Amino acid sequence: MKLGIWKKISIGTVAMVFALQTAALAAANLQGVRCHSGSEHDRIVFDLSETPLYDVRTSDDGQTITIDFTDVATRHFRKVPFHSSRIESVSYALKQDHFLVTMKLKSGLTYKVANLHKPARVFIDVLPKPSNSSAAKPSSQPSAQAGKKTGTPDPKDAYEEELAPGLTKKTYVYWDDAGKVTAYFVEADKNLYTVRPALGGGQIPGRETVSGISDRYQAVAAVNASYFNWNGDLLGVTKIDGNIVGTTYITRSAFGILPDGRSVFGKVSYSGTVTMGGVTKPVGGVDCERGADSLTLYNRYYGKTTRTNEYGREYIVRNGRVTAIGVGNSAIPADGWVVSTHGATMDAFAGVKVGDAVSIEQNLGSPWNEAVQILGVGPRLLENGRVHVTAAEEQFPGDIRYGDAPRSAVGVMANGNYLIGVVDGRQKSSHGLTLTAWAQLLQKFGAVDAINFDGGGSSELVVGGQIVNAPSDGSERPVGSALILVKK
């Protein structure tokens, strides 16, 4: 008797990521199964308490598929015997620590398998084979890509969940020539939601996980944003509620929100001066470490004190006047500034006294002077509907410019809606994308303008307080800032 030959075609690896965070991987509970028949495909969704380890196998004729769940609890699972115009039958079997779900498909059909993290789901789409059916035939190679169609990503294959009116979460899994890619997006109606920067720990310098920032502001969603120093100082022009809290003298791309709620993308750089006692000097930075022979401005976003050493001179400014003079670690007034000087700049202001008038001028150019929120990040990814990656002209280093990596971004669609997204990388469940491929994927999901955020181990998307992607460090990395999505 000839035995049917089975070919392994894919392996669910998300549980391996979670294994990095825990000493032992607890068994997932299989809670239920749902089947929905649509005009283009059938979708079978398995609801679980956490994402399990699973394999998918297909028979040599391609008409029968088996999902093999490893180490799942099925005590409360109801074995629903569903069928449809595309699915002839389904059966269930328990063999030791493997729970097998076998579906027989009608002729001329194929399938795609993907998973979500939170909520934990494994879903199978049953759909017609493409006209070039050879692209979808199972491969004889037992690799992670075997049997999966590669080529141009198609957002119509994304798994979508409407979380609330005007708020949709999208999960997209596809295979390209390098392997598996897993990306997550949130689309939000601009009339119901807005975005703004939020600082790690609520101040600069500060570092906090994206989920912690999201919880603190009760955000609808949050994504990591700014580049930052090891201590949490932000690298890039940043403005929160009209207050400049981070600077750079390199002209780089930024994302901003104007007073009327419109989004703006473009390049921005900072210039500033302080005039006291008839002397004017340039600003070296805002809310950052004070440099040698330099002048730094501190406001309430830096915390309670400047944390500077005693080798400078600091002028506390309120209502346009010097109210006190100190040497270091001065208290920052909630309604004013500390002008912190060192070296040659300190000497230039040696004649300034308490009561002297102070003029602080800061300029970002138009439209950035008018913007109420700014995130200076980069590079630019999309401009007016076309891919325009500006990494080279903005002098980004090679670890950002080249290669597949986890990426984060914000985009705006033609109707003004927000699109926030991450793509996982540096792991079996997703190898990541180049900047150009990331721009192209955002474009396919409807963005017409988009900008890149900090990536790598920082890339993280939180929706409704839950982490939806798999950060490449295996756990959350504390970051300097996040872009949060909140209800208007």
Side-chain angles (χ1 to χ4, degrees):
M1 180 177 67
K2 181 179 179 181
L3 297 177
I5 300 174
W6 294 81
K7 303 169 183 177
K8 180 190 287 189
I9 67 165
S10 67
I11 300 176
T13 60
V14 176
M16 297 179 185
V17 176
F18 287 121
L20 295 174
Q21 303 178 54
T22 55
L25 185 64
N29 290 309
L30 185 57
Q31 299 169 334
V33 61
R34 295 172 283 131
C35 180
H36 169 73
S37 294
S39 59
E40 297 183 354
H41 59 75
D42 285 4
R43 173 162 288 172
I44 301 91
V45 181
F46 293 92
D47 296 304
L48 299 109
S49 61
E50 59 185 271
T51 310
L53 185 68
Y54 66 93
D55 291 349
V56 182
R57 301 192 296 269
T58 182
S59 59
D60 53 355
D61 64 2
Q63 296 305 117
T64 303
I65 59 174
T66 295
I67 301 94
D68 182 348
F69 294 102
T70 302
D71 193 25
V72 296
T74 59
R75 183 174 56 181
H76 301 294
F77 177 72
R78 188 167 66 90
K79 300 175 182 178
V80 179
F82 56 82
H83 61 85
S84 69
S85 61
R86 298 183 178 96
I87 302 171
E88 285 191 2
S89 62
V90 61
S91 62
Y92 306 89
L94 182 62
K95 295 184 178 180
Q96 296 181 343
D97 60 347
H98 294 262
F99 185 69
L100 309 177
V101 181
T102 301
M103 290 183 288
K104 184 171 179 56
L105 310 183
K106 296 187 178 180
S107 61
L109 298 172
T110 186
Y111 65 94
K112 295 179 180 180
V113 181
N115 57 61
L116 298 175
H117 302 319
K118 292 186 178 182
R121 292 172 182 169
V122 175
F123 56 93
I124 303 100
D125 286 345
V126 179
L127 64 165
K129 289 181 179 179
S131 56
N132 181 14
S133 59
S134 61
K137 289 181 179 178
S139 166
S140 59
Q141 300 297 321
S143 68
Q145 299 181 66
K148 295 297 181 183
K149 184 176 69 173
T150 62
T152 304
D154 187 352
K156 290 188 295 184
D157 295 331
Y159 180 84
E160 295 190 6
E161 292 180 273
E162 185 177 2
L163 305 179
L167 185 69
T168 304
K169 181 174 73 171
K170 303 178 182 183
T171 302
Y172 186 49
V173 181
Y174 71 98
W175 278 255
D176 61 16
D177 292 338
K180 188 177 181 181
V181 179
T182 304
Y184 305 86
F185 300 94
V186 171
E187 181 182 342
D189 187 334
K190 70 179 188 305
N191 297 310
L192 301 176
Y193 301 90
T194 189
V195 292
R196 55 171 293 165
L199 301 176
Q203 67 177 38
I204 302 170
R207 295 178 62 198
E208 186 178 6
T209 63
V210 178
S211 65
I213 296 173
S214 177
D215 289 346
R216 197 153 45 79
Y217 288 92
Q218 296 183 326
V220 174
V223 64
N224 69 293
S226 304
Y227 300 98
F228 56 93
N229 273 331
W230 63 271
N231 67 343
D233 279 356
L234 300 186
L235 303 177
V237 174
T238 309
K239 187 187 274 191
I240 299 177
D241 296 337
N243 300 289
I244 295 174
V245 300
T247 54
T248 180
Y249 284 89
I250 301 174
T251 301
R252 281 187 169 165
S253 294
F255 165 70
I257 302 295
L258 297 176
D260 62 3
R262 287 182 296 126
S263 301
V264 59
F265 295 81
K267 293 180 180 178
V268 62
S269 62
Y270 172 89
S271 64
T273 59
V274 173
T275 301
M276 299 186 294
V279 177
T280 299
K281 287 295 180 180
V283 176
V286 179
D287 290 337
C288 60
E289 289 189 355
R290 185 184 64 202
D293 297 312
S294 184
L295 182 157
T296 302
L297 291 175
Y298 295 102
N299 57 31
R300 62 186 176 85
Y301 288 88
Y302 203 72
K304 293 183 179 180
T305 68
T306 60
R307 298 185 288 278
T308 51
N309 60 36
E310 68 273 21
Y311 302 112
R313 186 177 294 116
E314 298 187 329
Y315 304 87
I316 291 77
V317 178
R318 298 179 63 191
N319 299 319
R321 297 279 175 179
V322 176
T323 60
I325 300 175
V327 295
N329 198 31
S330 300
I332 302 172
D335 58 349
W337 297 89
V338 173
V339 179
S340 182
T341 63
H342 178 271
T345 302
M346 177 180 69
D347 294 341
F349 287 120
V352 174
K353 304 180 297 297
V354 171
D356 284 354
V358 180
S359 174
I360 298 174
E361 301 290 337
Q362 300 185 93
N363 182 35
L364 302 175
S366 183
W368 306 106
N369 284 333
E370 295 76 37
V372 291
Q373 317 289 352
I374 298 176
L375 276 170
V377 278
R380 186 77 173 267
L381 298 173
L382 296 172
E383 183 176 1
N384 297 325
R386 64 184 182 90
V387 173
H388 184 206
V389 178
T390 57
E393 61 191 80
E394 295 181 36
Q395 302 176 16
F396 277 95
D399 61 333
I400 295 173
R401 289 173 60 180
Y402 305 119
D404 291 342
R407 308 280 185 183
S408 301
V410 63
V412 171
M413 309 177 82
N415 60 4
N417 286 354
Y418 303 110
L419 184 70
I420 300 170
V422 298
V423 59
D424 281 340
R426 299 173 185 165
Q427 49 195 304
K428 291 183 179 180
S429 58
S430 185
H431 63 75
L433 293 174
T434 65
L435 286 170
T436 298
W438 182 218
Q440 292 169 338
L441 188 59
L442 289 160
Q443 183 185 50
K444 290 181 181 297
F445 272 82
V448 293
D449 286 287
I451 192 170
N452 190 62
F453 285 168
D454 188 19
S458 298
S459 285
E460 181 180 341
L461 179 63
V462 173
V463 181
Q466 302 295 318
I467 306 166
V468 300
N469 71 308
S472 63
D473 286 351
S475 60
E476 290 186 90
R477 174 186 293 181
V479 298
S481 76
L483 180 71
I484 60 173
L485 178 73
V486 294
K487 290 182 179 180
K488 285 188 172 181

